[in-house]
Amino acid sequence: MNRGGSSPSAATNYLICTNCRKVLRKDKRIRVSQPLTRGPSAFIPEKEVAQANTADERTNFLVEEYSTSGRLDNITQVMSLHTQYLESFLRSQFYMLRMDGPLPLPHRHYIAIMAAARHQCSYLINMHVDEFLKTGGIAEWLNGLKYVPQRLKNLNEINKLLAHRPWLITKEHIQIVGSLSELEALMERMKRLQEEREDGDTSQEEMTTRFEKETKESLFVVSGDTFHSFPHSDFEDDMIITSDVSRYIEDPGFGYEDFARRGEEHLPTFRAQDYTWENHGFSLVNRLYSDIGHLLDEKFRMVYSLTYNTMATHEDVDTTMLRRALFNYVHCMFGIRYDDYDYGEVNQLLERSLKVYIKTVTCYPERTTKRMYDSYWRQFKHSEKVHVNLLLMEARMQAELLYALRAITRHLT
């Protein structure tokens, strides 16, 4: 189609990719095969694939359960000719790209982009670019390898060899890929966030948007339903059945419910500035129970400011940013928002395995397992992981107090 005043001859400089339907320039020297069909495959008649999809309703069920993109893409449609294999494929893909693991979700999709790029598969590249951005990936990384952290750059060589000459891989290549650890990656993110803070302020509107985004994303961090949705998940294996305690409680089925429930647009946010512990809760507690306010306040301040200026084997490290992210993430799950805090830092500093642990310890402590404990911060000392637990415990207690004391204040006035 001729638009914007360009000449008709200009159209001959472009081709359309048969897979992703994107417009490509001929002068880029990209080979584009002629389409044999308008269906999901250039080699298989559309009618044959469509008949298989219509006949087997299980395909749609599998896509809803396990598809990482949430849609029936071309690859899935072709694989649906063999539904049993499709189920196995989707489950393994879901585990690698969605479930808990040592790598953040955006990193996994970026690695997939790198792998697809070795064979110039624009279809898979575009698919994983979409998922990379949806899972919180930094858009700048899509400009090329020189924009990504060293940890990902180090994968370039082994990605090249795996794709084309796997027999050349040696232990030295593996050692180079282990060269930037989880610890260094976290410190690198802390440094970058500090530099971004110094560069300029984020608008209040953006602060609010990031808070709402974080509360909604917490829906996808292990919730109560997760334990039942995936019968072969790690969680079920580690569940410990305790003795019956129902005699001591009523309504045993009542439990934590995600603050940001699906489909809700306007959340009843508790703005911390409207009712703070320092200005409101502290004094009320002291009125109700003499001196307890001082003791609680000392405990909150102690755990929040506790630091030895170390991170694993590194010394002279300012961990303030990390401690605040942990504390505020707990309050975020309980609907408490701080106007002066950039919740983008939570997504940058707390990887998924840590978020899973935080949410479990805070909201479902009875479901906490050693596997969850071992899954995050593998290079950190146990004392540092204990400090995490102390922060989570006190953050939850303060959240509960703020809600209760605000209700008491409203009752008294």
Side-chain angles (χ1 to χ4, degrees):
M1 183 179 293
N2 182 23
R3 291 184 180 178
S6 59
S7 64
S9 61
T12 61
N13 294 325
Y14 297 90
L15 294 170
I16 298 179
C17 175
T18 56
N19 285 326
C20 66
R21 313 303 299 170
K22 285 198 170 184
V23 177
L24 305 170
R25 288 182 62 89
K26 283 184 178 178
D27 58 13
K28 294 294 183 182
R29 297 182 181 177
I30 299 176
R31 294 182 179 179
V32 181
S33 58
Q34 294 298 316
L36 301 179
T37 176
R38 304 181 69 86
S41 171
F43 306 139
I44 305 173
E46 180 182 10
K47 182 171 64 175
E48 186 171 337
V49 178
Q51 286 174 348
N53 289 337
T54 304
D56 191 358
E57 295 181 359
R58 182 160 178 76
T59 299
N60 292 327
F61 170 77
L62 292 174
V63 170
E64 291 178 5
E65 284 288 302
Y66 300 114
S67 174
T68 56
S69 64
R71 57 188 172 84
L72 188 66
D73 55 65
N74 288 0
I75 294 175
T76 305
Q77 289 185 61
V78 173
M79 286 186 180
S80 67
L81 293 169
H82 301 281
T83 313
Q84 287 182 307
Y85 172 77
L86 175 63
E87 179 173 3
S88 177
F89 174 82
L90 288 178
R91 285 181 60 179
S92 63
Q93 286 288 98
F94 191 91
Y95 187 86
M96 287 188 291
L97 296 173
R98 285 287 190 219
M99 295 295 286
D100 314 319
L103 288 177
L105 298 185
H107 283 57
R108 302 184 206 184
H109 288 289
Y110 198 89
I111 292 170
I113 292 169
M114 293 170 65
R118 288 309 316 178
H119 291 291
Q120 303 176 41
C121 184
S122 57
Y123 178 82
L124 284 177
I125 291 172
N126 291 330
M127 179 188 295
H128 287 287
V129 162
D130 288 343
E131 293 301 308
F132 171 78
L133 294 173
K134 287 178 184 176
T135 54
I138 300 173
E140 185 184 27
W141 294 8
L142 300 177
N143 291 331
L145 286 180
K146 67 179 181 179
Y147 295 92
V148 304
Q150 189 62 43
R151 190 183 191 186
L152 286 174
K153 287 181 185 175
N154 289 345
L155 290 173
N156 180 56
E157 184 68 15
I158 199 168
N159 177 48
K160 178 178 71 176
L161 295 177
L162 281 172
H164 306 294
R165 304 176 195 174
W167 56 88
L168 295 181
I169 294 176
T170 65
K171 66 178 183 180
E172 284 73 24
H173 292 111
I174 305 301
Q175 288 169 351
I176 291 173
V177 175
S179 62
L180 255 188
S181 67
E182 178 186 39
L183 173 62
E184 278 73 31
L186 175 58
M187 295 183 67
E188 183 179 294
R189 293 197 299 272
M190 290 171 62
K191 180 181 178 182
R192 186 180 67 246
L193 286 172
Q194 188 60 47
E195 291 171 349
E196 290 175 0
R197 273 188 186 179
E198 295 169 358
D199 287 343
D201 296 328
T202 305
S203 69
Q204 192 59 55
E205 290 76 14
E206 181 62 22
M207 293 277 206
T208 302
T209 299
R210 290 179 182 178
F211 168 79
E212 292 176 350
K213 181 175 183 288
E214 192 59 48
T215 55
K216 289 178 180 177
E217 284 187 356
S218 70
L219 286 168
F220 302 100
V221 175
V222 60
S223 65
D225 294 336
T226 305
F227 294 90
H228 306 291
S229 299
F230 305 102
H232 300 289
S233 69
D234 290 343
F235 305 112
E236 186 181 47
D237 295 340
D238 288 333
M239 290 292 286
I240 299 173
I241 306 300
T242 59
S243 59
D244 183 20
V245 296
S246 60
R247 73 191 72 176
Y248 305 113
I249 58 174
E250 293 182 353
D251 195 8
F254 188 86
Y256 174 83
E257 185 179 72
D258 288 304
F259 170 74
R261 290 179 289 278
R262 289 176 176 83
E264 289 193 4
E265 292 298 326
H266 303 290
L267 307 175
T269 304
F270 185 131
R271 294 181 68 253
Q273 281 71 14
D274 295 339
Y275 194 94
T276 68
W277 165 255
E278 293 80 6
N279 298 331
H280 305 90
F282 171 76
S283 58
L284 177 57
V285 164
N286 258 358
R287 279 172 52 198
L288 299 173
Y289 188 2
S290 182
D291 291 332
I292 194 65
H294 291 289
L295 295 173
L296 289 172
D297 188 63
E298 179 185 5
K299 189 157 61 86
F300 291 147
R301 290 179 185 273
M302 174 63 72
V303 75
Y304 193 83
S305 61
L306 181 64
T307 182
Y308 306 98
N309 296 311
T310 61
M311 282 180 64
T313 57
H314 293 260
E315 298 182 351
D316 299 321
V317 181
D318 184 357
T319 61
T320 304
M321 181 183 294
L322 186 56
R323 283 179 276 127
R324 190 176 185 190
L326 289 164
F327 202 90
N328 286 4
Y329 183 57
V330 173
H331 280 200
C332 176
M333 288 190 295
F334 284 89
I336 299 175
R337 173 168 64 91
Y338 293 85
D339 289 344
D340 61 346
Y341 183 68
D342 181 357
Y343 286 87
E345 295 185 6
V346 168
N347 229 19
Q348 292 291 313
L349 298 177
L350 309 184
E351 295 189 357
R352 182 174 174 79
S353 59
L354 178 52
K355 283 185 173 182
V356 168
Y357 183 77
I358 292 171
K359 187 167 185 179
T360 306
V361 168
T362 305
C363 306
Y364 319 96
E366 67 279 4
R367 294 173 174 171
T368 308
T369 66
K370 185 177 186 298
R371 187 178 303 184
M372 293 178 190
Y373 174 84
D374 290 337
S375 69
Y376 78 96
W377 286 5
R378 292 174 175 82
Q379 299 173 358
F380 283 67
K381 302 172 186 174
H382 286 291
S383 61
E384 292 171 313
K385 299 180 90 167
V386 168
H387 186 195
V388 170
N389 281 268
L390 299 178
L391 274 166
L392 305 184
M393 178 176 67
E394 297 299 340
R396 171 176 169 165
M397 183 176 189
Q398 190 178 101
E400 293 171 351
L401 276 172
L402 285 173
Y403 277 108
L405 293 172
R406 184 180 68 169
I408 293 173
T409 298
R410 289 175 174 174
H411 169 70
L412 295 176
T413 56

